[in-house]
């Protein structure tokens, strides 16, 4: 069984590198989703989530979002799924935003990075990033600063925005 899981891990990583046709991609995504559902080995499931992120596409994105949303999933798999969503610049913010409140700093950091990679400026996305700037963990704060630079790229815009957050005028 252990040897089978090791083989599955190698196969999962290989899928993302060798898929060339649309049919191969569909089969690879289906196989990787099956690996995430069935494998007991966390490393194999991480490799499958990583490969789904590399493959991209709607089916891969949906599968990774389901992994992130599943409440009993291990943090390692959630992080791999968040990183996969980030690599495909996913717009599935509802799946991502909820993980920014995780007690695990690595999950929070991956969620913040995924929000930044999404490029979204929705209020809930920006709120996640602004909250993360004040996170107790320096790596989460660093990810938040990098994400804010991506979402608000105009030089000086972030400083101006932060300065005006406490403005008493409701329109601001």
């Amino acid at each position: 069984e252990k040897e089978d899981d090791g083989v599955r891990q190698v196969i999962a990583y290989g899928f993302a590198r060798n898929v060339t046709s649309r049919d191969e991609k569909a089969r690879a995504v289906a196989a990787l989703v099956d690996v995430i559902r069935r494998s007991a080995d966390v490393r194999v499931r991480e490799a499958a989530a990583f490969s789904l992120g590399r493959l991209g596409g709607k089916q891969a994105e949906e599968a990774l979002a389901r992994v992130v949303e599943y409440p009993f999933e291990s943090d390692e798999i959630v992080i791999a799924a968040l990183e996969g969503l980030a690599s495909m610049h996913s717009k599935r913010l509802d799946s991502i935003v909820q993980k920014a409140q995780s007690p695990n700093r690595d999950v929070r950091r991956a969620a913040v990075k995924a929000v930044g990679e999404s490029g979204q400026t929705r209020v809930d996305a920006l709120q996640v990033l602004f909250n993360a700037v004040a996170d107790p963990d320096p790596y989460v704060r660093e990810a938040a600063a990098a994400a804010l630079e991506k979402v608000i790229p105009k030089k000086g815009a972030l400083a101006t925005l932060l300065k005006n957050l406490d403005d008493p005028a409701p329109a601001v």
Side-chain angles (χ1 to χ4, degrees):
E1 181 69 30
K2 287 272 189 203
E3 186 175 315
D4 288 345
D5 279 341
V7 169
R8 286 187 196 109
Q9 184 176 5
V10 169
I11 291 169
Y13 276 121
F15 268 141
R17 292 192 178 118
N18 299 317
V19 172
T20 56
S21 76
R22 196 176 271 171
D23 288 341
E24 286 177 333
K25 183 175 180 177
R27 284 194 304 273
V29 167
L32 291 166
V33 168
D34 189 57
V35 167
I36 288 174
R37 286 184 188 147
R38 295 176 189 256
S39 179
D41 189 318
V42 172
R43 293 175 316 217
V44 171
R45 295 172 70 222
E46 280 180 281
F50 171 82
S51 292
L52 283 170
R54 300 256 330 248
L55 286 170
K58 185 176 181 174
Q59 289 177 314
E61 185 177 29
E62 287 173 4
L64 290 173
R66 281 194 304 273
V67 168
V68 169
E69 292 166 358
Y70 185 65
F72 304 108
E73 189 58 79
S74 72
D75 288 341
E76 293 88 352
I77 306 304
V78 169
I79 291 166
L82 286 166
E83 289 172 349
L85 290 169
S87 72
M88 59 176 81
H89 306 287
S90 175
K91 307 294 186 216
R92 300 287 300 256
L93 285 182
D94 294 336
S95 302
I96 298 167
V97 165
Q98 66 179 335
K99 293 302 179 182
Q101 302 301 316
S102 171
N104 182 310
R105 73 175 186 175
D106 295 324
V107 171
R108 289 194 313 274
R109 185 177 67 223
V112 165
K113 180 181 176 189
V115 169
E117 291 295 330
S118 77
Q120 294 288 306
T121 55
R122 287 180 8 191
V123 172
D124 57 344
L126 292 175
Q127 190 62 53
V128 163
L129 299 180
F130 290 135
N131 289 344
V133 170
D135 194 275
D137 185 82
Y139 295 109
V140 175
R141 293 193 305 270
E142 180 182 347
L148 280 167
E149 285 180 0
K150 287 181 180 185
V151 174
I152 308 172
K154 186 176 177 189
K155 189 172 182 153
L158 181 57
T160 302
L161 183 61
L162 290 172
K163 185 171 58 175
N164 290 314
L165 280 179
D166 294 326
D167 192 302
V172 176

